Amino acid sequence: MKRRNAVLLGNILMGIGLVSMIGGVGLTIVGHLKDVVLLPGDLAHIPVMGIFVGALVWLVGARIGGRDRVADRYWWIKHSDNGARRCGYRHKHL
């Protein structure tokens, strides 16, 4: 898969995951109102599951689009000894 197609697919999956998470949170909040019954008894937990499925789709999209590597690399640079010396801050040892 070409890089541009991978980034596009990753962005689409991240968008779908975001919509699923926001929709799950919204349906969960509306479902807890007193007079509103969206789903019958056994299906009432589906919006909560939508939050977790949305988060999983978001992470898959970030992995495909290459966005997870940038954050990991930044974390390793910031917290490594060489990066700490280069950035001018030192660890305090107790």
Side-chain angles (χ1 to χ4, degrees):
M1 183 180 296
K2 291 184 179 179
R3 180 175 174 87
R4 185 171 54 176
N5 292 338
V7 170
L8 181 64
L9 179 63
N11 287 340
I12 290 171
L13 287 175
M14 288 174 68
I16 291 170
L18 179 66
V19 168
S20 176
M21 287 187 288
I22 291 173
V25 169
L27 287 175
T28 302
I29 291 172
V30 169
H32 279 97
L33 297 176
K34 289 184 179 181
D35 296 334
V36 178
V37 177
L38 293 175
L39 297 169
D42 291 340
L43 300 176
H45 298 290
I46 289 179
V48 176
M49 189 174 69
I51 297 169
F52 294 105
V53 169
L56 182 65
V57 171
W58 173 278
L59 290 173
V60 168
R63 179 70 179 181
I64 290 174
R67 296 187 187 269
D68 61 337
R69 293 188 203 127
V70 174
D72 290 342
R73 191 177 334 144
Y74 175 73
W75 189 91
W76 282 111
I77 289 172
K78 185 176 180 180
H79 291 89
S80 69
D81 289 335
N82 292 335
R85 285 189 212 113
R86 188 172 47 237
C87 294
Y89 98 96
R90 299 172 189 258
H91 293 285
K92 293 181 180 179
H93 297 287
L94 298 175

